[in-house]
Amino acid sequence: MRTVTSLPRQITVDEHVWIPMSDGIRLAAKLWRPIAADDRPVPGVLEYIPYRKRDLTAVRDSIHHPYMAAHGYACVRVDLRGTGESEGVLADEYLEQEHRDAEDVLAWMREQPWCDGRLGMMGISWGAFNSLQVAARRPPGLRAIVISSFTDDRYSDDMHYMGGALLSDNIAESATMFAYSTLPPDPALVGDRWREMWFERLENCSLWAANWLEHQRRDEYWRRASVCENYADVRVPVLASSGWADGYSNAVARLLAHLDVPRKGLIGPWSHRYPHLGEPGPAIGYLQEVVRWWDRWLRDIDNGVMDGPMLYTWMQDSVPPSTAYEQRPGRWVGEPSWPSPHLRPVEYPLARHRIGNPGEDVPAADLGLESPLSVGQFAGKWASYSAPPDLPYDQREEDGGSLVFDTGELTERCEILGAPILTLEVSADKPVAMIAARLSDVDPDGRATRVTYGLLNLTHRDGHDDPRPVEPGARYRVTVQLNAVAQAFPAGHRIRLSVSSSYWPLAWPPPEPARLIVHTGGSSLRLPIRPIAESDEIPPQPFGPPEGSEPMPTTQITPGEQRWTVSRDLIDYHSALNIVKDAGLLRFDEHDLQVDRRVREHYRWQADDFCSATAETAWSMTFSRGDWLTRTETRTHVTCTPTDFVVHAQLDGFEGEQRTYSRNWKRRIPRDHV
């Protein structure tokens, strides 16, 4: 990223501002604005998240908020209630209280002398979620939003469940918020009340893993704040982006298809990061595009921001399998609308262990499948964060426990853009069973790079509201939608479809192994083909280079550590996936705060005992300055029986080396067709 030192306006920064809520609680904010805004008010932009403006997102915030402020916007970065220096307690995500607080913040911004009353919201992940959700509530003054890495469907397309199957990220991310919601505020900003505020959080914190496990079907808990329930609620222009390596690769296209407002979509090769910080690269000049968006919709400048394609996306070229990439080769392509008139869905029948040609009359065959529990240990994370390396590795070992269907060697390059759809005629011998479908690019040497995948819990075959047991032996016709992707398959390569009956630890396994029968006569794979001859009519490089303000100064005192280890004991058949994410000890030079953050995820199982699956995530977070030293340790441990999930959790707070708070939980939650 290029640091821009010559910006159009001088700015001023308010490090700590209290914003009063309607119930008397105060939220903490940091404010960047042009100096001239005190005399000539400017539009305001809100980013509203629980990830601690003082430290954990401070470097990222320092790159884009000063940049936007220098281009004429008052940027307000607010910590959610109960996080950072904000008062109160954070109990769960996207609650009504969170949205009312956002409306209070926006109303406060409109009343400030530096604000002209025109407002935008922006964010990535949580901040994108609530920007879209708050936009659907239509608060006064909100005129546009910019969102990255988000979803409009909290049940079907988030970190919790996919196709009705429980994702392990449901547990890992609940542990993240268990940790973040129990951290202390900084005494340098809140004074002597820091300990009182911290203990209020410790004593009233929520067991996030249990909250999310209690809702295993699409009920009102998930429907609330899912904008897909009524897209017409959103009446402001939307700039939406994501990345193909992210877990949130599907929602951009849905918004383009369903919103009836000015909208633009952008999907690059990136993981769960803003596009100007995108990994794998190439990163782009995203902040320039954001400023143009604000200029058009908050300043009414007719700058042509709506010209060109509705969707820009990175068409990825073939690469060897790897758990991390610095760059993904490819090119930008543009679509005038979505669904795109350029795309041609093509149906390929499934034959015995091969993908047939379109229109081919393939003979019926019954193919049996009962995957070992080890299939999935090279699946990577549901959403790549690029630290540690967390993309899927070579799929050949996974394919050994799967049904595999290959095309012949391609005689010409083939490109797809969108969501592949697998239709299967299938039967199972157990009342709960799952299907994991993977699409891979197989090179002439046989290496298999996973391109995309999808899951279906067969009890959710008719929808997620009312799951029903599988009747053993009954034949069902089901569809599995794989995640959307833009991918090119070169001539000489093969396209592979792999189907397995487990995908642990990416997804929690069923209560017991199930044997599936795939009936090929009525099964097919539909690919969204993008014809090669289609002219993109866009410049080869439609975006400028990534740029931003100079990151705030930090000093790495001790190095971090990143590990991702798969192990297998051939005596007792215990297997494990161990993940270490240790950021080391970091000092924020401007205010001398030191932060040490360590995370360990541990997934294990024994042989093919599906109820031996165990997930554990442990966080340790230390904050210190001078004589002030605190540490919070959290642990979330999830096991199962054939009928229940069992959640153990532990929370400990330390002042210096003395433990001054401790609490334990144990919850048993019935399995609901999962």
Side-chain angles (χ1 to χ4, degrees):
M1 187 194 72
R2 182 176 68 188
T3 297
V4 179
T5 56
S6 178
L7 288 166
R9 294 170 179 83
Q10 289 187 315
I11 68 170
T12 183
V13 182
D14 295 321
E15 181 68 25
H16 181 58
V17 178
W18 287 117
I19 302 178
M21 299 294 99
S22 53
D23 65 353
I25 288 290
R26 297 180 301 171
L27 302 190
K30 186 171 182 177
L31 168 63
W32 300 259
R33 69 184 190 279
I35 291 175
D38 291 342
D39 299 316
R40 294 187 297 276
V42 297
V45 174
L46 170 63
E47 185 173 16
Y48 173 59
I49 52 179
Y51 301 129
R52 298 180 62 92
K53 63 177 177 55
R54 182 67 159 169
D55 37 70
L56 300 186
T57 67
V59 174
R60 188 183 77 188
D61 295 345
S62 70
I63 292 171
H64 61 257
H65 285 304
Y67 182 94
M68 289 186 294
H71 283 85
Y73 296 92
C75 297
V76 183
R77 166 67 176 84
V78 177
D79 281 331
L80 263 62
R81 178 184 295 242
T83 66
E85 281 66 57
S86 292
E87 297 174 342
V89 174
L90 180 64
D92 205 344
E93 58 182 8
Y94 319 127
L95 299 177
E96 175 65 20
Q97 183 67 64
E98 176 182 336
H99 295 150
R100 287 201 305 266
D101 285 352
E103 291 170 331
D104 285 348
V105 171
L106 292 169
W108 176 87
M109 290 171 63
R110 292 184 73 204
E111 295 171 357
Q112 301 312 300
W114 38 258
C115 182
D116 67 7
R118 293 176 289 187
L119 304 173
M121 285 187 71
M122 68 172 293
I124 183 171
S125 198
W126 193 310
F129 276 66
N130 64 30
S131 293
L132 185 63
Q133 293 160 358
V134 171
R137 297 165 70 97
R138 305 184 191 180
L142 185 62
R143 295 180 53 162
I145 61 173
V146 173
I147 52 179
S148 295
S149 300
F150 66 95
T151 190
D152 55 341
D153 188 336
R154 295 184 55 218
Y155 179 81
S156 300
D157 197 28
D158 196 1
M159 60 193 173
H160 306 290
Y161 299 90
M162 178 187 286
L166 172 65
L167 295 167
S168 62
D169 267 43
N170 185 84
I171 298 159
E173 292 308 310
S174 68
T176 299
M177 292 315 303
F178 185 32
Y180 275 51
S181 64
T182 53
L183 299 176
D186 188 342
L189 296 183
V190 304
D192 293 340
R193 290 190 58 235
W194 75 268
R195 194 174 190 275
E196 175 188 342
M197 293 172 65
W198 183 33
F199 270 72
E200 181 184 13
R201 297 172 186 182
L202 296 172
E203 292 167 357
N204 295 282
C205 69
S206 177
L207 186 55
W208 295 68
N211 291 350
W212 296 348
L213 278 172
E214 286 172 344
H215 302 275
Q216 296 166 42
R217 61 179 70 188
R218 186 186 177 88
D219 57 15
E220 183 55 33
Y221 177 85
W222 303 113
R223 286 192 290 268
R224 205 204 78 78
S226 285
V227 171
C228 64
E229 295 291 309
N230 187 8
Y231 289 105
D233 287 339
V234 178
R235 301 307 307 158
V236 299
V238 179
L239 175 60
S241 65
S242 191
W244 295 129
D246 198 353
Y248 297 108
S249 62
N250 302 306
V252 170
R254 285 199 301 270
L255 288 194
L256 298 183
H258 294 290
L259 291 183
D260 186 23
V261 296
R263 59 206 184 276
K264 283 275 191 174
L266 171 64
I267 310 175
W270 315 302
S271 60
H272 194 70
R273 299 197 173 201
Y274 273 119
H276 59 296
L277 305 172
E279 295 180 13
I284 65 165
Y286 176 69
L287 292 182
Q288 298 96 299
E289 300 302 314
V290 172
V291 168
R292 292 181 68 221
W293 195 257
W294 297 142
D295 285 348
R296 174 63 185 89
W297 302 113
L298 302 188
R299 292 185 180 277
D300 300 320
I301 298 173
D302 189 4
N303 57 8
V305 74
M306 296 303 297
D307 295 344
M310 177 182 284
L311 173 67
Y312 285 101
T313 188
W314 187 252
M315 177 63 67
Q316 301 179 126
D317 283 338
S318 177
V319 290
S322 177
T323 57
Y325 302 95
E326 289 187 8
Q327 299 280 322
R328 281 299 303 260
R331 74 185 194 283
W332 289 106
V333 300
E335 302 299 339
S337 58
W338 196 268
S340 171
H342 293 165
L343 301 183
R344 181 168 56 91
V346 178
E347 200 87 17
Y348 298 84
L350 298 186
R352 182 184 291 272
H353 306 305
R354 69 181 179 89
I355 298 174
N357 297 314
E360 180 182 350
D361 186 14
V362 301
D366 295 342
L367 305 178
L369 167 67
E370 185 175 319
S371 300
L373 195 52
S374 58
V375 173
Q377 62 186 347
F378 300 112
K381 273 286 197 179
W382 167 81
S384 171
Y385 297 89
S386 294
D390 51 11
L391 293 170
Y393 193 47
D394 194 326
Q395 296 293 288
R396 283 178 288 185
E397 186 167 347
E398 309 276 65
D399 289 342
S402 310
L403 282 179
V404 174
F405 304 86
D406 281 2
T407 65
E409 287 190 5
L410 300 177
T411 58
E412 59 183 17
R413 180 181 173 97
C414 173
E415 295 184 356
I416 63 173
L417 172 58
I421 296 177
L422 174 63
T423 299
L424 290 180
E425 288 195 4
V426 64
S427 52
D429 67 349
K430 299 294 191 303
V432 179
M434 71 172 290
I435 294 169
R438 311 186 303 280
L439 199 68
S440 296
D441 169 23
V442 183
D443 70 18
D445 294 329
R447 294 175 298 182
T449 302
R450 197 189 75 192
V451 169
T452 184
Y453 73 100
L455 307 175
L456 177 65
N457 176 348
L458 282 174
T459 70
H460 287 238
R461 61 195 176 274
D462 296 321
H464 303 305
D465 297 340
D466 186 23
R468 298 177 183 180
V470 174
E471 181 183 339
R475 191 158 163 165
Y476 299 100
R477 186 174 178 83
V478 301
T479 59
V480 184
Q481 180 168 311
L482 282 62
N483 287 330
V485 71
Q487 180 67 43
F489 300 88
H493 286 219
R494 290 173 288 141
I495 300 174
R496 171 172 295 170
L497 170 69
S498 307
V499 178
S500 60
S501 58
S502 65
Y503 208 39
W504 169 252
L506 189 143
W508 202 278
E512 56 185 333
R515 181 169 178 79
L516 304 180
I517 304 295
V518 173
H519 310 280
T520 63
S523 299
S524 63
L525 173 67
R526 180 186 301 172
L527 295 180
I529 302 295
R530 188 178 193 272
I532 303 298
E534 194 66 56
S535 173
D536 296 321
E537 298 181 353
I538 64 171
Q541 297 294 336
F543 306 104
E547 61 183 38
S549 296
E550 183 175 2
M552 69 183 304
T554 59
T555 300
Q556 191 76 44
I557 298 174
T558 60
E561 178 186 14
Q562 311 289 334
R563 284 206 314 269
W564 186 292
T565 307
V566 173
S567 64
R568 188 178 299 166
D569 187 324
L570 296 182
I571 295 177
D572 60 11
Y573 304 110
H574 278 105
S575 299
L577 169 63
N578 291 298
I579 301 170
V580 175
K581 295 180 284 188
D582 184 345
L585 181 61
L586 184 70
R587 183 178 69 229
F588 295 87
D589 297 342
E590 291 181 358
H591 46 74
D592 201 33
L593 182 67
Q594 296 187 21
V595 179
D596 191 321
R597 175 173 47 171
R598 303 175 187 177
V599 188
R600 284 167 172 75
E601 296 179 41
H602 186 52
Y603 304 93
R604 60 182 182 269
W605 61 99
Q606 184 174 23
D608 285 331
D609 178 1
F610 277 40
C611 283
S612 69
T614 301
E616 180 177 332
T617 301
W619 279 74
S620 176
M621 300 276 282
T622 301
F623 296 85
S624 62
R625 181 192 293 109
D627 295 334
W628 179 68
L629 173 65
T630 65
R631 185 171 82 254
T632 303
E633 295 184 353
T634 58
R635 176 176 169 268
T636 304
H637 183 271
V638 179
T639 58
C640 67
T641 70
T643 58
D644 298 284
F645 292 106
V646 182
V647 181
H648 294 257
Q650 179 179 333
L651 167 64
D652 290 298
F654 294 82
E655 297 175 66
E657 294 304 316
Q658 182 179 359
R659 183 170 62 181
T660 54
Y661 187 87
S662 185
R663 185 178 175 189
N664 292 275
W665 292 260
K666 182 176 181 180
R667 295 277 298 279
R668 184 176 289 267
I669 300 166
R671 298 177 76 143
D672 182 8
H673 300 83
V674 171

